[in-house]
Amino acid sequence: MNDIRSDILQFFMMGTKTIADRRIESPSLESYPAYLFRDGKEYGVYLKTDREYELNAKFNGARFYSTHINGKPVIRLSTLMNSDSSKRMFAHLCEDFVSTDPEGIRRREILNDPESYWSEWKELLGNRSSDDQPQQILAELIVLDILQKRGEKPEWSGPEMGTVDIRAFAVDYEVKSSKTKYGFDIRISSDNQLKKGKNDLHLCYCVFEKSVTGVSINSVLGNLKKHGADIDDIRKKLDEFDLDSASLSQCFQILKMIDFLVYDSFPKITPESFKGDMLPSGIKSIQYTIDVSNIPEEYKTNLEYQ
């Protein structure tokens, strides 16, 4: 871990025990300073700028926006996520935002066009683009409800950038959604997404088609409430996505829903795939696509949901 991310993460982990606003301590940022801040439950980093911007974007629990500090314009990257795993992952994003080269070329590029920078990061963050966000959330809530009915006591990560989408009593789930009817290619957006913890890890692949009837986020919320889930917590997390009423009520037909057990030789790349159980020096993250068409039958189950 380099000095920038180390200082950022230390600040995040300290919570309210640390000062509310300070400069990031790193020799590489000596000529191009960047700053840490905490405002109530919100925390993150910011850059000072000479220009006024009108930025206010949210994605996967992170917020990218313009504001003023002591009357001067700044661009903030922040979150409200409070789990340790989310803080670690968010620290990677913050490190990328504030880092620059010795000549400050990258810093100038970001400050000249912050919208493009954020758009690129939205693509890198994986599942939830603005178009497929409702269907991805629907897929996660459907799996959440299935586990709830099984008595697995599941907890949805929601907007938090955790390593898995759902943690349950004895099993963890990563959920992927698609509108592609044919093929079995699944995009994995991080080397940690298929990293097994203490529980068995499953990958659920859901294929949807928009329809005038079928399941919607609202209908699944109703089922979750009926099955005894903590609906207030789920709605609170759902609110972080800023979905409009049309997205919440949009219906989909489930074309297929397959539950894969991530067994030892499942196609995946994790830090354990490399010498020393860590990514090679200079590699921050890996994105890749897997083909699950040839997974043995004993490791997959077709799911149904009403």
Side-chain angles (χ1 to χ4, degrees), residues 170-173 194 196 199-204 258-268 292 295-301:
V171 66
D172 296 333
Y173 268 83
L194 296 182
K196 185 178 180 296
N199 290 339
D200 284 341
L201 176 62
H202 287 241
L203 173 64
C204 190
I258 308 174
D259 182 345
F260 297 96
L261 174 64
V262 181
Y263 56 101
D264 288 344
S265 55
F266 190 88
K268 62 184 182 296
V292 294
I295 298 298
E297 292 297 323
E298 62 263 34
Y299 297 115
K300 61 183 181 182
T301 305

Side-chain angles (χ1 to χ4, degrees), residues 221-283:
L221 288 175
N223 290 340
L224 282 161
K225 183 177 182 180
K226 182 171 62 178
H227 297 141
D230 186 347
I231 198 65
D232 290 336
D233 179 67
I234 294 170
R235 288 188 179 279
K236 181 179 179 181
K237 292 174 178 176
L238 185 60
D239 286 344
E240 290 293 316
F241 292 105
D242 285 339
L243 296 180
D244 57 25
S245 58
S247 297
L248 295 172
S249 60
Q250 172 66 58
C251 289
F252 293 86
Q253 292 292 331
I254 303 173
L255 302 184
K256 59 185 172 187
M257 186 163 51
I258 308 174
D259 182 345
F260 297 96
L261 174 64
V262 181
Y263 56 101
D264 288 344
S265 55
F266 190 88
K268 62 184 182 296
I269 299 174
T270 68
E272 288 74 18
S273 303
F274 302 93
K275 184 178 180 180
D277 295 340
M278 59 189 300
L279 294 181
S281 177
I283 304 297

